[in-house]
Amino acid sequence: MTTKIAIVDDHGIIRAGIKSVLSRYPEYEICAEGANGEEALKLVQDCKPDILLLDISMPKLGGLDIISRVKRASPKTRIIIISVHKLGTYVLKALRQGVSGYLNKDNVAEELILALSRVRAGNVYLGQATSDYLAQRARQPEKAAAEAGLNERELDILRLVAEGKTAKEIAEIMFLSRRTVENYKNSVLKKLNLHRTSDLIKYAFENKILEV
């Protein structure tokens, strides 16, 4: 059974490279291609691809701006993001909007067919570069906290404070008393040699404990 593929990227050389890879696999048929977000919306409505290969950074509506609109126009179309960005914030935003895959452009030639196969089967695929980056970032907060002498509960409190939660809200989330939360917060301040809540928020962002 043939899988219909649409490609949307503002760089012609990227589209040509993807087409070159797919030309060796008869099970994939390219039904349309475009260079910006507006074209992506039109071609999805016209050809209803099984899988849309979509860049993030494009003129006239970027990929992250149109994911939900693409899914409304063609609910059965699965989306694989192909981007130069491997930042966790981009990946998480894309996944929250319902994409099925995320590839870094540097690895497209090596990973595209595997990604298509996984997504075709109903799975989510993250490219190796993206997976490595997310794993590294996931370990970074724990490393920073350990170096500062924070335990797991104190790290959780720090995250919630940095998210703007009040002591009362944190108490409800963590099933603790408000006094216990305040004690943990004061302990974190003391261990980090900080004095104000604003200092905690700054520390959390600088050490990637909480991203923008």
Side-chain angles (χ1 to χ4, degrees), residues 143-188:
K143 180 181 178 182
E147 290 174 350
L150 302 184
N151 59 41
E152 185 177 349
R153 181 59 61 84
E154 289 169 337
L155 177 58
D156 289 338
I157 295 287
L158 173 57
R159 283 198 181 100
L160 291 169
V161 169
E163 288 175 5
K165 298 288 192 299
T166 65
K168 180 181 178 182
E169 290 170 331
I170 295 172
E172 292 173 351
I173 291 170
M174 299 187 69
F175 301 102
L176 299 171
S177 70
R178 183 169 178 175
R179 179 183 294 275
T180 300
V181 170
E182 292 288 0
N183 288 338
Y184 274 120
K185 181 180 175 181
N186 289 334
S187 176
V188 172

Side-chain angles (χ1 to χ4, degrees), residues 19 43 46-47 59 61 63-64 67 83-84 86 104 128 139 141 145 150 154 186 193 197 199 202 206-207 209-210:
K19 288 189 289 184
L43 65 85
D46 291 343
C47 85
L61 295 175
L64 288 177
I67 291 171
S83 175
V84 296
K86 58 184 179 183
N104 189 268
Q128 190 61 55
R139 290 191 294 267
L150 302 184
E154 289 169 337
N186 289 334
N193 194 28
T197 299
D199 296 330
K202 182 180 179 182
E206 288 179 345
N207 290 275
I209 291 170
L210 191 69

